Amino acid sequence: MTEVLVHTRRAETLREVLENDIVTGAYPAGTRLDEVMLATRFNVSRTPIREALIELSGAGLVEIRPRRGAFVREIGITRLIEMFEVMADLEAMCGRLAARRIRAEELAELEQIHEACVHAKAEGDPDAYFRANQAFHEAIYKASHNSFLEEQALLLQNRLKVYRRLQLRVPNRISGSLSEHGQIVEAIKAGEPQRAAEALRQHILIQGERFNDFVASVAGHVKSVSSRS
Amino acid sequence: MTEVLVHTRRAETLREVLENDIVTGAYPAGTRLDEVMLATRFNVSRTPIREALIELSGAGLVEIRPRRGAFVREIGITRLIEMFEVMADLEAMCGRLAARRIRAEELAELEQIHEACVHAKAEGDPDAYFRANQAFHEAIYKASHNSFLEEQALLLQNRLKVYRRLQLRVPNRISGSLSEHGQIVEAIKAGEPQRAAEALRQHILIQGERFNDFVASVAGHVKSVSSRS
DNA sequence: GGATTTGGTCTTGTATACAAAGATCGTTGA
DNA sequence: TCAACGATCTTTGTATACAAGACCAAATCC
């Protein structure tokens, strides 16, 4: 998870740190990211900061308003649901292709990760489950054998990471998630594209649809959709 | 098509111009984009050039190799087919949602654009058809009433623009495209999500699958997949 | 009293200067 | 002759300096 690699460009590492800070909520939505503030914080000049902000803007995490600065993007509930809707479709596509193209060793790994999920739940360790869950989905992306799709899925997954994590705090959600995983594995194993796709779509959509349930607990991250300036 | 808007940041306009140059093949795949060369060409300093290149790298059009420079990204045939596969799925999703959510005036506009396509074909004007065709697909994106999906579809459509354009040069492709459009409109009009989705998926996949037919004619743009450094 | 304008300050956007890593090419040694 | 090494030169990456638009507040006008 935590890259130890030393990048040659500072902008690269800065982007990763800032991305993490935004995703974890250290910089809540709407926060203005002052260039000199960040520059002093990281002991660099404004140049690499600007480049990092531009990268983040490309990833959709910050919004750059010309001559006004960079802001942590406000994600309205509507947009969040839209993103989950697309994520569900991407994951369904991964599942559909994986059911057709998965290799024996990939299937073995997927089942092994699924076991790890079961284990994490039994241990009652939500963080471990979150990590195993993420590995589970990434294994399916990879098994689609469409590297572009894999990249896109990873990108969007990353943007939704915080919210998926919060989702697991909902009572009984882990149990539900786990049994859905089981069905997904079954469908892929059986080589049934349609079933795998639908199982994955529902698995993701549940997170998006039930979102209103815990909107209150995310009040800091999610801004009401009515506040469109 | 051609934005008249004056952007406050030069990087923004530079990105658009460079994007266009890459997409039209003025800078073929693999070309090294020298910063000072571009700076002198546009009569600006390296700073906005760099920022534009970073944006393009985020969009996947150029690859920045640290300390070595920016290169127009080589898109192998495999990756191109993968991208079409994802595009097909995104468009199918747009169609599925549009069939459910399209509003009366949007449907009217869609039919009107479809008429424009028919007209352009009758006139034998490939460029006009290309533009109308693009408008047709964008109308469906919008009718999905999922603004995030719309953005993603537009982004990928833009990256595949050149290849879709070339596709229309294939004999009889325009006729086929047009009749497919007709079926898509029918399905959306009838409010049949499944049919609309499948019609759109096939409509896009045909372009990807038949791609090998004219790979030779794109030799300058597309690089053999075997050349992985 | 309220709205508007205007000056000042702050922050972004751009240019330029400097540092360091990579590429090139010639030389030297086997 | 060829390969390896090194000096130089080119080009990227970063810092700093400068220009200009945006925000704020006070003063002025209606």
Side-chain angles (χ1 to χ4, degrees), chain B:
Chain B
M1 195 78 165
T2 48
E3 289 277 336
V4 198
L5 197 79
V6 122
H7 301 283
T8 47
R9 286 174 293 149
R10 289 193 205 276
E12 191 76 7
T13 60
L14 287 172
R15 185 185 60 77
E16 284 175 14
V17 174
L18 286 175
E19 187 174 319
N20 195 58
D21 283 353
I22 290 170
V23 146
T24 58
Y27 291 121
T31 307
R32 179 162 158 281
L33 298 171
D34 189 272
E35 294 180 357
V36 292
M37 181 261 284
L38 293 171
T40 52
R41 179 187 156 190
F42 292 108
N43 268 44
V44 294
S45 78
R46 278 175 51 220
T47 311
I49 296 285
R50 277 183 68 83
E51 297 189 346
L53 289 176
I54 288 168
E55 286 185 48
L56 288 172
S57 132
L61 283 169
V62 311
E63 188 184 346
I64 292 178
R65 294 207 271 268
R67 292 271 177 201
R68 333 245 340 252
F71 299 80
V72 178
R73 188 155 181 185
E74 307 253 1
I75 300 185
I77 292 174
T78 305
R79 171 157 266 257
L80 204 50
I81 291 172
E82 288 178 354
M83 290 169 78
F84 268 106
E85 211 170 29
V86 174
M87 186 84 236
D89 206 71
L90 286 181
E91 297 238 11
M93 184 180 177
C94 289
R96 199 179 61 228
L97 296 178
R100 285 209 285 258
R101 305 176 179 171
I102 198 165
R103 311 173 114 250
E105 68 266 25
E106 289 171 336
L107 183 60
E109 198 188 337
L110 184 65
E111 289 184 305
Q112 186 191 318
I113 293 170
H114 181 47
E115 282 308 310
C117 287
V118 173
H119 189 72
K121 191 228 164 181
E123 295 279 310
D125 184 346
D127 281 339
Y129 185 82
F130 177 73
R131 282 194 301 273
N133 177 62
Q134 192 158 300
F136 180 81
H137 286 272
E138 287 174 11
I140 295 174
Y141 304 161
K142 178 156 260 163
S144 76
H145 288 273
N146 179 324
S147 64
F148 180 73
L149 174 61
E150 188 187 346
E151 283 172 31
Q152 295 298 111
L154 279 171
L155 233 61
L156 188 50
Q157 188 210 43
N158 197 45
R159 285 177 71 174
L160 292 173
K161 203 189 283 176
V162 230
Y163 308 107
R164 287 178 107 160
R165 180 166 227 149
L166 287 164
Q167 176 68 44
L168 291 175
R169 300 261 160 81
V170 171
N172 292 330
R173 179 66 200 120
I174 291 188
S175 295
S177 171
L178 210 44
S179 80
E180 287 155 27
H181 279 199
Q183 299 196 330
I184 290 162
V185 173
E186 282 305 309
I188 291 176
K189 199 171 177 177
E192 297 179 26
Q194 201 61 38
R195 217 178 95 211
E198 277 320 305
L200 265 161
R201 167 172 283 122
Q202 288 310 316
H203 178 56
I204 305 300
L205 277 184
I206 281 175
Q207 304 181 339
E209 282 170 359
R210 288 206 189 148
F211 212 81
N212 290 311
D213 298 351
F214 61 93
V215 162
S217 69
V218 217
H221 299 285
V222 184
K223 193 70 173 290
S224 163
V225 72
S226 62
S227 67
R228 280 276 164 78
S229 56

Side-chain angles (χ1 to χ4, degrees), chain A:
Chain A
M1 197 76 169
T2 47
E3 290 276 338
V4 198
L5 199 78
V6 109
H7 301 284
T8 48
R9 286 172 292 150
R10 289 192 206 277
E12 191 75 7
T13 60
L14 287 173
R15 184 185 61 76
E16 285 175 14
V17 174
L18 287 174
E19 187 175 319
N20 195 58
D21 284 353
I22 291 171
V23 147
T24 59
Y27 291 122
T31 307
R32 179 159 159 283
L33 299 170
D34 188 272
E35 294 179 357
V36 293
M37 181 262 284
L38 293 171
T40 52
R41 178 187 157 190
F42 293 107
N43 267 44
V44 293
S45 78
R46 278 175 51 219
T47 312
I49 296 285
R50 277 182 68 83
E51 297 188 347
L53 289 175
I54 288 168
E55 287 185 48
L56 288 172
S57 134
L61 283 169
V62 310
E63 189 183 347
I64 292 178
R65 295 207 270 267
R67 290 273 177 201
R68 321 200 58 215
F71 299 79
V72 179
R73 188 153 182 185
E74 306 252 1
I75 300 187
I77 293 175
T78 305
R79 171 158 266 254
L80 205 50
I81 291 172
E82 287 178 353
M83 288 170 79
F84 268 107
E85 210 169 30
V86 174
M87 185 84 236
D89 206 72
L90 285 182
E91 297 239 10
M93 185 181 176
C94 289
R96 199 178 62 228
L97 295 178
R100 283 209 285 260
R101 303 176 181 171
I102 198 166
R103 311 172 114 249
E105 67 267 24
E106 289 172 336
L107 182 60
E109 198 187 338
L110 183 65
E111 290 184 304
Q112 186 191 316
I113 294 170
H114 181 45
E115 282 308 309
C117 287
V118 173
H119 189 71
K121 192 227 164 181
E123 295 278 311
D125 183 346
D127 281 340
Y129 185 82
F130 177 74
R131 282 194 301 275
N133 178 62
Q134 191 159 302
F136 180 83
H137 286 273
E138 287 174 11
I140 296 174
Y141 304 162
K142 178 155 259 162
S144 77
H145 288 273
N146 179 325
S147 64
F148 180 73
L149 173 61
E150 188 188 344
E151 283 172 31
Q152 296 299 111
L154 280 171
L155 234 61
L156 188 50
Q157 188 210 42
N158 197 45
R159 287 177 69 173
L160 292 173
K161 204 189 285 176
V162 232
Y163 308 105
R164 288 178 105 160
R165 179 167 229 150
L166 288 166
Q167 175 69 43
L168 292 176
R169 300 259 160 82
V170 171
N172 291 331
R173 179 66 200 119
I174 291 188
S175 294
S177 171
L178 211 45
S179 81
E180 287 155 26
H181 279 200
Q183 298 197 329
I184 291 162
V185 173
E186 282 306 309
I188 291 176
K189 199 172 176 177
E192 296 179 26
Q194 201 60 38
R195 218 179 94 209
E198 276 319 305
L200 266 160
R201 167 173 284 123
Q202 288 311 316
H203 177 57
I204 305 299
L205 277 184
I206 280 175
Q207 305 181 338
E209 283 170 1
R210 288 208 190 147
F211 213 80
N212 290 311
D213 297 350
F214 60 94
V215 162
S217 70
V218 220
H221 299 285
V222 184
K223 194 69 173 290
S224 162
V225 74
S226 61
S227 68
R228 280 275 165 78
S229 57

